[in-house]
Amino acid sequence: MEVKRVHDTMGEVIIPEGAYYGAQTARSLEHFPPVRGIMPLPVVYAIATIKKAAAEVNAQKGLLSAEKARSIAKVVDEIHDGRFDDQFPLSIWQTGSGTQTNMNVNEVIANRGNELSGQTLLHPNDDVNRSQSSNDVFPSAIHLATLLALREEFVPEADALVASLDAFIAREGETLKTGRTHLQDATPITVGQEASAWRTAIDEGKRRIVEASRELEALPIGGTAVGTGLNAPEGFDGDICAVLSRETELSLRPLENKFYGLSMKSPVLRVHGTLKAFAADLNKIVQDVRFLSCGPRCGIGEYRIPANEPGSSIMPGKVNPTQVEAASMIAFQVMANDFAVTLAATSGQLQLNTYMPLLIRNVLESIALLALALNGLRRFLFDGMAVNAVRMGALLDRSLMRVTALSPVIGYEAAAEIAHRADENDTTLREEALKSGRLSAEELDDLLDPRRMIGR
């Protein structure tokens, strides 16, 4: 492999001949091997977006030539096109401020810009990093990357699953079935009522995540090293947020207290908390489906799930709830990620949180995993799920808890006696109620009609 020598303030290092990154990236690769986790590209792209916006503002303020600003912008556009993804190889497990990744981006932009211009036009620190510090760039990139991932990955999949559930309710919702509490028979409901809880959980969970994420629209950029804004020109924070808003189509604004923005990560923690709550609801939904579709012959078997793949290497014809299991594992991983995010947010020292790579790694993973789960559940579960109306009707007919409708007429104790006798004799409620002599056949048919018990 051909190599070349490059230098930084600590001396010379050797890097591959074709590399666009520089000495500081090489030192990070040496001291922090990229094992089990490379800095997510959405973070790199967010940092690059900040560099382009900073160059534009610095040029407006006379701190950077128009030629340099154009060169930075051109390289950032190339980065966003994915042309240099392999030039960002650094490990998650690096300095907790993300300084090495910030410099990795600075070096690639400077070296590629110099290549394009045919001269030493850009310096990674003096030009690409002008008016910035890793300490305000990286937390701002965390906000941007999270907001963009939610908008582009999570929200579309959540909306699509809500639409799938709406379609399921429209085609199957009128079917009557037995409700259950404590895993015991309860009063009747419809399929639509049962599924409406799932639909609302997805839609409401998405709404709360989006609502919490609006706090991330306030960026600490302009705080530079410790929050004072040293080496950033007056008005830099507002101007760069305006440019970033235009570039990303987000509603971004400067964070008022940048000391808070650099040292505290509770806004990100709050967003991930809503992701954890969403994962908890998602796990409850898929466990409901697992339970109600178990069988098909020897379980409850009220729902028929799609047969996506063979379920057993030894039992022919077996179908397993694989999408349920995948989504449940994802939910558990998101809950585990929340613990890591919590530890990262509660740590750090004085004017800087130094656990930011860990934090954003887990946030982005949770968003991506939840989007994956929602996609799979929509395409391979709910779009093809059907009800077993015969099974639902048979179970409903044998349910003892329709006796609840008799209680206001004959009293709680008399109704309970009828239910106990039906259970002991393995008969129906109607049979035992007729034997009691308390109600006529016509009265029973009216009172025990499940359509009267579903709240409409």
Side-chain angles (χ1 to χ4, degrees):
M1 180 179 66
E2 294 187 11
V3 298
K4 61 183 177 182
R5 295 181 179 274
V6 295
H7 76 278
D8 61 8
T9 57
M10 297 183 70
E12 285 192 343
V13 295
I14 296 173
I15 64 173
E17 178 63 38
Y20 286 104
Y21 59 75
Q24 293 196 47
T25 301
R27 292 188 192 281
S28 182
L29 284 170
E30 177 185 358
H31 296 115
F32 304 99
V35 177
R36 304 296 293 176
I38 294 174
M39 185 65 68
L41 282 172
V43 178
V44 170
Y45 294 158
I47 292 173
T49 302
I50 291 170
K51 300 301 172 181
K52 180 179 180 180
E56 180 177 329
V57 174
N58 282 326
Q60 291 171 354
K61 294 183 178 295
L63 299 175
L64 202 66
S65 71
E67 182 184 13
K68 290 182 176 182
R70 285 194 300 268
S71 181
I72 291 171
K74 182 173 179 57
V75 178
V76 169
D77 290 343
E78 291 183 334
I79 289 172
H80 284 149
D81 287 339
R83 294 185 57 181
F84 303 111
D85 288 357
D86 63 343
Q87 298 298 308
F88 305 104
L90 296 189
S91 173
I92 287 288
W93 320 113
Q94 57 166 278
T95 176
S97 62
T99 297
Q100 292 158 357
T101 288
N102 181 50
M103 284 307 304
N104 182 194
V105 176
N106 289 336
E107 289 173 344
V108 170
I109 292 173
N111 290 330
R112 174 59 175 166
N114 292 340
E115 180 182 66
L116 289 173
S117 67
Q119 60 178 312
T120 306
L121 178 69
L122 298 174
H123 188 280
N125 298 81
D126 296 338
D127 299 315
V128 186
N129 201 62
R130 180 172 287 275
S131 306
Q132 308 149 63
S133 164
S134 301
N135 296 354
D136 64 346
V137 167
F138 201 85
S140 297
I142 286 175
H143 288 207
L144 284 181
T146 302
L147 288 165
L148 291 171
L150 288 172
R151 184 181 73 186
E152 295 167 10
E153 298 178 53
F154 174 79
V155 170
E157 293 296 350
D159 287 341
L161 182 55
V162 168
S164 177
L165 287 167
D166 282 339
F168 173 73
I169 292 168
R171 69 177 181 267
E172 307 281 16
E174 292 301 313
T175 307
L176 286 163
K177 67 183 298 290
T178 300
R180 294 177 178 86
T181 58
H182 304 269
L183 291 184
Q184 304 295 308
D185 301 345
T187 56
I189 58 172
T190 67
V191 167
Q193 290 171 329
E194 183 165 68
S196 73
W198 306 339
R199 189 252 187 225
T200 298
I202 300 297
D203 198 42
E204 179 67 9
K206 180 210 71 174
R207 186 189 68 78
R208 290 188 180 277
I209 290 167
V210 171
E211 186 178 82
S213 73
R214 293 198 178 101
E215 192 175 359
L216 301 184
E217 293 171 352
L219 304 182
I221 193 71
T224 64
V226 295
T228 62
L230 179 66
N231 290 353
E234 185 177 354
F236 179 82
D237 57 350
D239 291 341
I240 193 172
C241 284
V243 175
L244 287 170
S245 295
R246 184 194 71 212
E247 289 288 320
T248 62
E249 298 182 349
L250 294 168
S251 300
L252 305 171
R253 63 189 185 279
L255 182 64
E256 183 176 348
N257 190 317
K258 295 177 179 59
F259 304 102
Y260 167 73
L262 271 58
S263 63
M264 305 295 181
K265 292 293 161 277
S266 49
V268 184
L269 176 60
R270 282 189 281 273
V271 171
H272 199 276
T274 61
L275 292 172
K276 180 186 72 171
F278 186 93
D281 278 351
L282 189 67
N283 186 63
K284 171 61 167 60
I285 291 168
V286 297
Q287 296 302 341
D288 283 354
V289 172
R290 183 206 296 270
F291 182 72
L292 294 169
S293 65
C294 70
R297 297 282 180 89
C298 301
I300 292 179
E302 290 187 342
Y303 290 113
R304 297 188 185 278
I305 61 174
N308 295 320
E309 62 275 316
S312 172
S313 62
I314 189 172
M315 293 175 280
K318 195 171 192 298
V319 175
N320 292 334
T322 52
Q323 289 298 322
V324 165
E325 291 161 2
S328 187
M329 287 190 287
I330 283 173
F332 294 162
Q333 184 62 59
V334 172
M335 294 175 203
N337 285 351
D338 193 69
F339 184 57
V341 171
T342 300
L343 291 177
T346 196
S347 301
Q349 303 79 33
L350 305 177
Q351 276 67 62
L352 186 67
N353 180 285
T354 51
Y355 293 84
M356 290 188 286
L358 170 67
L359 183 142
I360 189 57
R361 179 257 181 213
N362 283 279
V363 169
L364 291 179
E365 180 181 73
S366 291
I367 294 170
L369 287 176
L370 286 173
L372 178 67
L374 294 171
N375 180 277
L377 290 172
R378 171 178 58 84
R379 296 171 60 205
F380 304 121
L381 182 68
F382 288 112
D383 278 357
M385 193 167 81
V387 303
N388 184 342
V390 173
R391 178 68 171 163
M392 287 182 176
L395 292 175
L396 181 60
D397 189 55
R398 288 185 56 79
S399 172
L400 300 178
M401 287 305 101
R402 284 191 294 160
V403 77
T404 306
L406 305 184
S407 182
V409 179
I410 64 175
Y412 185 93
E413 291 188 10
E417 181 181 354
I418 290 172
H420 289 313
R421 285 182 178 174
D423 189 31
E424 292 167 2
N425 299 329
D426 196 25
T427 54
T428 66
L429 286 174
R430 190 176 187 280
E431 289 177 84
E432 294 300 333
L434 282 173
K435 288 180 187 177
S436 74
R438 290 186 172 92
L439 295 163
S440 68
E442 292 76 14
E443 289 173 316
L444 282 171
D445 289 340
D446 182 50
L447 291 171
L448 292 177
D449 181 358
R451 288 283 172 194
R452 294 191 56 193
M453 305 181 195
I454 58 174
R456 52 179 173 161

